[in-house]
Amino acid sequence: MNMVEKILARASGRRSVEPGDVVVAEVDLLIMHDLSGYLTSRVFDKQVGGPVRHPERVAMVFDHHYSPPTEDAAEMLKENREWARRNGIHLFDCGNGNIHHTVVRRGLVRPGAIIVGSDSHTPVHGALGAFAAALGNDSHAGTVLPYGKAWFRVPETVRVELEGTPQPGTTARDIALWLVGQIGEGGLIYAAVEFAGPYVKELSFWDRWLFPLLCVDLGAKCSFVEPDEVTEAFVRSLPSGSAQDRLEQSDGGEAARVLRFDVGAVAPQVACPPTVGNLADVTAVAGTPVQYAELGGHAGGRLEDFRAAAEVLRGRRVHPDVRFNVVPSSREVFTQAAQEGLVLALHEAGATWFPPSTGSNQAYNMGAMAAGEAMISTHARNFPGRNGSAEASMYLAAAPTVAASAVAGTITDARELA
């Protein structure tokens, strides 16, 4: 069995499972943000009732309405706080960071665990060697909260093997975006996608993180990177961290399919409207005017992103027609950025810092655009209307491209500023 199959077998009390089996498994962690938590809690209270079976396995993170702009939003957060405290779950209030980064940084996600959440990017936790899947709010209310369980159909595994050495200036984010274009949106429906190969093996943990994040765009059920010494070292760095005994290793089971890609010729990428899979080399869209640039979201706001941006901005300033917003993925990242001098460096170059959160994701607190405006960001989505007007445009790229575009006022290849 591979890692996903071993986790599902253990959690459902079976000796083994195979693709197509339906299992009822113990859930190790349910994660909700302020929006999904509000919906789930109301369904649970009104239609299910009773106690939360394992409150220590439930976490709620306020990352959308991180600074409520309306009375209705403030009331929703107030009700969330009361519900969380009444039921004894983990509550991470405004300013703690992005939902996924926060629970990882606080040591709640462990290798070998089963993680569920309403957010469609929940499968990103496969980067730690967990089985992680997105479920609907009603499933959380009806099965996970009262019973601590959920059911799953065991997915077939597709192994994506990456090899080669990227060109100078091409980042892991560029490779991840490029893969969506190569495989195709919805190209791996209900698969368990394993990212492997020499290229992945050499990546740091936070660069590996960018690949399971693609799961929803590919239509997959879950995604993972086989745990190794990189995973072990990262887990040990977390609060109360240890590699534990759940670093599930594959028994060598064959994948249903193997897709192989050489990343050596990949240039910096830009995902153009209207979807993540509409990819182009940065040179093909260079010169497109932008009014906003942002480092943040599930795929951004990492320390690595701020370092890259500071390097691009060294000796330069943000273009006067661009609002360059930077959003730490967690309080821990903001602390590190401050210690390294990145907060001051980006501030003095003209960037504006926002609280640790999910940033302009759906423009609940920031980043709304008017018709005809454009943003380039490290976010995970670029659908029309996601950030304000449906006639605004969102482009997705790696941090160096975002920073270079903030300087130039148009989409720009960072290699030209080197």
Side-chain angles (χ1 to χ4, degrees):
M1 295 186 291
N2 64 30
M3 189 199 81
V4 163
E5 292 163 352
K6 290 182 70 174
I7 292 173
L8 289 174
R10 173 192 55 76
S12 60
R14 299 190 181 196
R15 296 185 63 181
S16 65
V17 298
E18 59 184 38
D21 287 351
V22 174
V23 301
V24 176
E26 288 279 343
V27 170
D28 294 291
L29 182 66
L30 162 61
I31 53 176
M32 302 178 286
H33 50 59
D34 41 312
L35 305 181
S36 61
Y38 181 71
L39 297 173
T40 297
S41 63
R42 289 169 72 86
V43 172
F44 178 74
D45 285 350
K46 293 179 179 181
Q47 299 186 39
V48 180
V52 174
R53 186 172 183 84
H54 296 292
E56 74 282 2
R57 301 183 191 176
V58 183
M60 188 185 299
V61 182
F62 294 177
D63 70 346
H64 282 64
H65 286 301
Y66 61 80
S67 180
T70 66
E71 182 180 353
D72 287 345
E75 182 63 33
M76 181 187 71
L77 296 190
K78 178 185 175 183
E79 290 188 25
N80 281 350
R81 291 185 187 101
E82 292 171 350
W83 187 87
R85 290 164 182 160
R86 187 166 64 249
N87 288 283
I89 71 169
H90 298 280
L91 174 63
F92 300 98
D93 214 312
C94 304
N96 275 284
N98 173 289
I99 178 174
H100 301 302
H101 291 257
T102 295
V103 294
V104 167
R105 290 283 185 176
R106 301 307 173 88
L108 295 182
V109 179
R110 317 304 298 180
I114 289 186
I115 314 296
V116 298
S118 300
D119 187 82
S120 60
H121 290 98
T122 300
V124 71
H125 299 289
L128 281 87
F131 169 81
L135 300 180
N137 296 318
D138 287 358
S139 294
H140 297 152
T143 61
V144 182
L145 290 176
Y147 302 109
K149 299 177 184 290
W151 70 269
F152 306 95
R153 177 165 58 86
V154 180
E156 287 189 337
T157 297
V158 176
R159 184 176 299 120
V160 176
E161 295 187 355
L162 305 178
E163 61 182 11
T165 301
Q167 301 177 21
T170 297
T171 70
R173 170 67 163 164
D174 294 306
I175 302 299
L177 286 172
W178 176 78
L179 276 178
V180 178
Q182 296 298 302
I183 297 173
E185 293 174 288
L188 298 176
I189 297 295
Y190 208 89
V193 183
E194 177 186 3
F195 289 102
Y199 173 73
V200 175
K201 182 74 174 175
E202 296 301 315
L203 293 177
S204 67
F205 172 78
W206 286 112
D207 277 347
R208 290 180 178 186
W209 172 272
L210 300 171
F211 290 86
L213 193 70
L214 305 176
C215 184
V216 62
D217 303 302
L218 300 176
K221 181 64 176 178
C222 64
S223 183
F224 65 98
V225 177
E226 191 76 40
D228 59 9
E229 62 277 3
V230 172
T231 317
E232 293 179 19
F234 179 75
V235 171
R236 289 194 180 99
S237 74
L238 298 173
S240 303
S242 69
Q244 297 189 345
D245 294 326
R246 287 192 181 179
L247 277 169
E248 305 285 2
Q249 298 292 333
S250 170
D251 291 339
E254 292 298 319
R257 278 197 289 162
V258 178
L259 305 178
R260 295 181 173 88
F261 299 94
D262 189 322
V263 304
V266 180
Q269 300 288 293
V270 176
C272 304
T275 66
V276 179
N278 186 22
L279 274 300
D281 288 0
V282 63
T283 53
V285 292
T288 303
V290 294
Q291 290 73 44
Y292 292 89
E294 184 177 330
L295 301 179
H298 301 322
R302 307 170 306 151
L303 189 64
E304 293 83 351
D305 299 314
F306 301 141
R307 288 170 176 163
E311 185 62 32
V312 171
L313 285 165
R314 191 183 307 276
R316 302 184 175 95
R317 285 194 58 79
V318 173
H319 192 280
D321 293 334
V322 176
R323 274 68 68 194
F324 186 21
N325 301 328
V326 288
V327 189
S329 59
S330 65
R331 294 186 70 85
E332 292 81 0
V333 164
F334 185 73
T335 297
Q336 292 174 287
Q339 291 170 342
E340 293 188 16
L342 299 173
V343 172
L344 182 61
L346 292 176
H347 171 76
E348 291 185 334
T352 299
W353 287 89
F354 281 77
S357 65
T358 197
S360 68
N361 184 1
Q362 301 176 66
Y364 279 103
N365 288 275
M366 59 177 287
M369 292 185 286
E373 291 188 314
M375 177 189 293
I376 186 165
S377 81
T378 55
H379 275 269
R381 290 269 171 77
N382 63 339
F383 305 148
R386 186 168 178 83
N387 280 58
S389 173
E391 297 178 22
S393 300
M394 172 71 85
Y395 297 85
L396 308 178
T401 303
V402 173
S405 303
V407 168
T410 61
I411 295 178
T412 299
D413 186 344
R415 296 173 297 183
E416 294 184 358
L417 302 183

